[in-house]
Each structure stands twice: as C-alpha cells, then as structure tokens.
Amino acid sequence: MMKNDVLNTKKLGYKFYFQDGDNQIACFGSYFTGKEEVFVNDDLFSKKRNIYCASTHSFAFEGSQYQVKFDMLNILTGRLECTLYKNSSVIDKQVQSSLSDDPKKAAFFLAGCTLGGAVFGYTTATIVELFVGKL
C-alpha cells in the first residue's frame, strides 16, 4: 500500500497495485464512468476514458518504457485483467471481478439482481398504468 494512497477513495471500480523495485504502480479503472488512471509513486502518469473492453496506457519512467493493459475478460461477471509491462516484458498480472469467486454466491447475487429488476419493472408499470390508464 502506498504511503499516500491515491486510490484510497470511494470511487467505484477496480484498484490494482504493482511493485517494480522501489516504485509502486497503482492503476484504477471505474466500471461506471470508464475512467482509467495510472499512478507511479503517487504521481499521475496516464489518464483516459475507455468504453471498450480493452485499453493500453503507455508511459516512460526512469529510462524504461511501461505499459498497463486493461482487458475485460467477462463483461457479465465484471472480470477485469490488468497487466504491467516493462520494456515489453510482463512484470505482473492481476485479475479482479465484481462478483465473488464462489459460484453459489455469484448465482445468488445474479438471482437477486434479476428478482430486483422484475419487482422494479412491475412496480413501475403499475404506477404508470394508474396515471395513464390501461396499457
């Protein structure tokens, strides 16, 4: 964890931390806004918005070329892979998911979302019908 953790915010998204010698590379990707940020030792090195399933951030630091690649492996489960490259060699790779790795918990979560959506849709249709009349 960084001394002044720039990613220690209430932003909703994925937070990845990589160590390269004495340098820490922190990467953030928001699953709501598509905003991606890459920090090296608390300094912002790359920032952009992405609406696609993959993106790359390239930057130079201390005479080396770095790349951070975000790749959405499964959009339904929110499984995101973040890979750090230094001079075209993989330093580290991390994967995070918005759903639990436990299949039972993931299925329960998806069933809850489906049920919640059905209740919301039915309630909305009922309210609209009261004001507009029979649909």
Side-chain angles (χ1 to χ4, degrees), residues 36-53:
E36 298 173 348
E37 298 172 324
V38 177
F39 296 86
V40 178
N41 300 330
D42 293 334
D43 295 323
L44 182 64
F45 269 72
S46 181
K47 173 177 150 180
K48 64 177 158 179
R49 295 219 184 254
N50 178 30
I51 59 170
Y52 303 105
C53 290

Side-chain angles (χ1 to χ4, degrees), residues 4 23 29 45 55-56 58 64 88 90 108 117 131 133:
N4 300 318
N23 302 312
F45 269 72
S55 70
T56 302
S58 300
S64 297
S88 301
V90 175
F108 184 71
F131 288 107

Side-chain angles (χ1 to χ4, degrees), residues 74-79 97-115:
N74 187 329
I75 201 158
L76 291 176
T77 62
R79 192 166 173 82
S97 178
S98 56
L99 289 181
S100 171
D101 288 337
D102 181 10
K104 288 182 182 179
K105 287 183 181 178
F108 184 71
F109 176 77
L110 290 174
C113 288
T114 302
L115 180 62

Side-chain angles (χ1 to χ4, degrees), residues 114-127:
T114 302
L115 180 62
V119 169
F120 177 77
Y122 178 79
T123 304
T124 302
T126 303
I127 291 171

Side-chain angles (χ1 to χ4, degrees), residues 65-84:
Q65 291 293 72
Y66 288 88
Q67 278 190 331
V68 173
K69 291 188 179 182
F70 289 101
D71 188 22
M72 182 61 70
L73 300 176
N74 187 329
I75 201 158
L76 291 176
T77 62
R79 192 166 173 82
L80 181 70
E81 178 181 81
C82 184
T83 308
L84 174 66

